[in-house]
């Protein structure tokens, strides 16, 4: 009996592998330049289409869209994760839109000018980036490609801060159903966005949103960085707990102890996209459960 079970396991394993081992991910972005009236400058965005987008049988099919900040870098990791999840039947075929925020990250991804301490460059203009996405990027993508109304916003570090800020935004909250915030820099300006989440509880109760957050808890932080590190993880924890207590917002909150601020990207993108698309084309209903933190 054991031999039969082992043979069956081998056969099932072969079938599982066959679904993706015969294929190779090819990163084939289409680069667009949007001359932005909002930003007063040209801004690049890259669009990566699912494999079967141009197949004749899909000529009328519409696709959900994942938007990521730091697109000049994260398009590769995000695109590959989307491909693998699609191959594993954990994600629908979806379009990836990667927005270039490389040259002015602090300016574009932060919502305020800190009152205390120097800043490395001009900051606090994320409202302009929100408007750019709402008024120029999304209309361009929807007019150029076959899209449905299920949109996800993903970001890491300052990009994760922008994701949570957008969750509270009158401009972007109505346009996105999923939010993926990977080790978000919620320490910014004395954790001001965490305070905004607390103040927005009534608004969020009326929302139907899916949120994924992950925090990288690290050891051996140098003493000179301890205060900022503690502010960082405490702000993430406070924000996640506030969102968990919100009636209509479905959230998964993970904590890792064996990743750092950079390496958590791999886990965050993979888990985050899988989570927010779990009930596609709708958002999963709120479950009555406590913090779902994982190690």
């Amino acid at each position: 009996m054991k031999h039969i079970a082992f043979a069956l396991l081998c056969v099932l394993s072969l079938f599982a592998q066959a679904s993706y081992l015969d294929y190779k991910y090819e990163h084939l972005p289409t680069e667009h330049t949007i001359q932005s009236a909002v930003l007063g400058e040209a801004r690049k965005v890259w669009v990566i289409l699912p494999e079967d987008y141009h197949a004749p049988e899909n000529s009328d099919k519409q696709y959900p869209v994942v938007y990521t900040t730091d697109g000049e870098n994260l398009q590769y990791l995000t695109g590959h994760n989307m491909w693998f999840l699609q191959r594993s039947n954990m994600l629908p075929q979806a379009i990836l839109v990667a927005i270039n925020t490389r040259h002015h990250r602090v300016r574009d991804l932060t919502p305020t000018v800190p009152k205390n301490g120097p800043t490395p460059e001009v900051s606090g203009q994320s409202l302009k980036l929100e408007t750019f996405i709402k008024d120029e990027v999304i209309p361009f993508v929807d007019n150029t490609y076959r899209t449905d109304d299920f949109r996800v916003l993903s970001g890491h570090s300052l990009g994760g801060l922008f994701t949570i800020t957008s969750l509270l935004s009158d401009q972007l909250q109505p346009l996105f159903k999923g939010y993926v915030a990977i080790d978000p820099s919620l320490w910014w300006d004395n954790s001001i966005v965490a305070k905004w989440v607390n103040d927005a509880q009534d608004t969020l109760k009326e929302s139907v949103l899916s949120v994924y957050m992950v925090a990288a808890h690290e050891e051996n932080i140098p003493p000179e960085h301890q205060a900022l590190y503690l502010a960082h993880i405490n702000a993430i924890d406070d924000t996640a707990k506030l969102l968990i207590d919100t009636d209509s917002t479905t959230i998964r909150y993970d904590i890792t102890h064996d990743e750092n601020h950079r390496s958590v990207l791999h886990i965050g993108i993979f888990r985050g996209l899988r989570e927010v698309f779990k009930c596609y084309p709708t958002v999963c209903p709120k479950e009555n459960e406590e913090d779902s933190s994982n190690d």
Side-chain angles (χ1 to χ4, degrees):
M1 184 60 115
K2 291 182 178 179
H3 294 298
I4 294 174
F6 178 74
L8 180 60
L9 182 62
C10 290
V11 171
L12 291 174
S13 177
L14 285 172
F15 277 117
Q17 292 182 39
S19 65
Y20 64 86
L21 286 184
D22 289 340
Y23 298 89
K24 177 182 178 182
Y25 174 66
E26 292 185 278
H27 190 75
L28 302 172
T30 300
E31 182 178 293
H32 299 280
T33 299
I34 298 177
Q35 188 63 48
S36 172
V38 174
L39 300 177
E41 62 189 35
R43 184 62 62 96
K44 290 181 181 179
V45 298
W46 294 270
V47 176
I48 295 90
L49 299 174
E51 289 178 297
D52 298 331
Y53 181 89
H54 293 296
E57 63 270 22
N58 294 330
S59 60
D60 296 324
K61 184 176 179 179
Q62 295 179 309
Y63 297 83
V65 185
V66 175
Y67 289 81
T68 183
T69 52
D70 293 319
E72 62 288 346
N73 295 319
L74 295 189
Q75 59 174 293
Y76 304 99
L77 187 58
T78 308
H80 191 272
N81 272 281
M82 289 173 64
W83 171 84
F84 185 85
L85 286 166
Q86 290 161 4
R87 283 283 169 199
S88 303
N89 296 317
M90 295 180 180
L91 194 76
Q93 294 282 314
I95 296 169
L96 172 60
V97 176
I99 302 170
N100 186 353
T101 53
R102 178 177 184 177
H103 300 294
H104 302 286
R105 292 188 77 245
V106 176
R107 183 195 73 182
D108 290 346
L109 298 176
T110 61
T112 59
V113 178
K115 298 176 180 62
N116 301 317
T119 55
E121 59 178 285
V122 176
S123 61
Q125 297 186 22
S126 64
L127 182 60
K128 283 189 176 182
L129 187 65
E130 290 179 22
T131 306
F132 170 62
I133 292 172
K134 172 182 175 288
D135 291 347
E136 297 179 326
V137 180
I138 290 177
F140 171 79
V141 171
D142 288 349
N143 289 331
T144 307
Y145 300 97
R146 301 191 307 276
T147 62
D148 65 22
D149 64 353
F150 196 102
R151 303 183 188 93
V152 171
L153 180 62
S154 178
H156 166 248
S157 192
L158 287 178
L161 172 69
F162 179 78
T163 296
I164 300 301
T165 305
S166 299
L167 173 68
L168 308 175
S169 165
D170 291 337
Q171 295 196 96
L172 293 188
Q173 189 191 99
L175 299 177
F176 287 87
K177 290 184 168 65
Y179 296 83
V180 178
I182 305 164
D183 214 34
S185 297
L186 290 167
W187 55 266
W188 180 264
D189 197 4
N190 295 316
S191 307
I192 193 169
V193 173
K195 298 180 180 71
W196 291 351
V197 173
N198 185 51
D199 294 340
Q201 290 296 292
D202 291 339
T203 302
L204 288 170
K205 286 179 180 178
E206 300 173 1
S207 305
V208 182
L209 307 169
S210 181
V211 182
Y212 176 83
M213 294 179 65
V214 60
H217 285 207
E218 302 182 46
E219 298 180 357
N220 303 317
I221 301 296
E224 63 270 24
H225 299 311
Q226 280 282 354
L228 179 58
Y229 169 73
L230 290 174
H232 172 66
I233 61 172
N234 287 336
I236 296 174
D237 197 56
D238 290 345
T239 300
K241 288 176 179 176
L242 287 167
L243 291 173
I244 288 167
D245 289 340
T246 301
D247 290 341
S248 297
T249 303
T250 301
I251 176 171
R252 172 173 171 173
Y253 172 41
D254 286 347
I255 296 172
T256 69
H257 294 278
D258 54 357
E259 306 294 341
N260 60 39
H261 184 63
R262 290 190 178 188
S263 67
V264 76
L265 257 172
H266 293 260
I267 288 176
I269 292 174
F270 184 88
R271 290 181 182 175
L273 292 176
R274 183 175 60 182
E275 188 69 22
V276 297
F277 276 104
K278 187 181 290 183
C279 296
Y280 175 81
T282 62
V283 173
C284 294
K286 181 79 173 183
E287 296 180 4
N288 293 321
E289 59 183 2
E290 296 300 320
D291 185 347
S292 58
S293 299
N294 290 315
D295 203 13

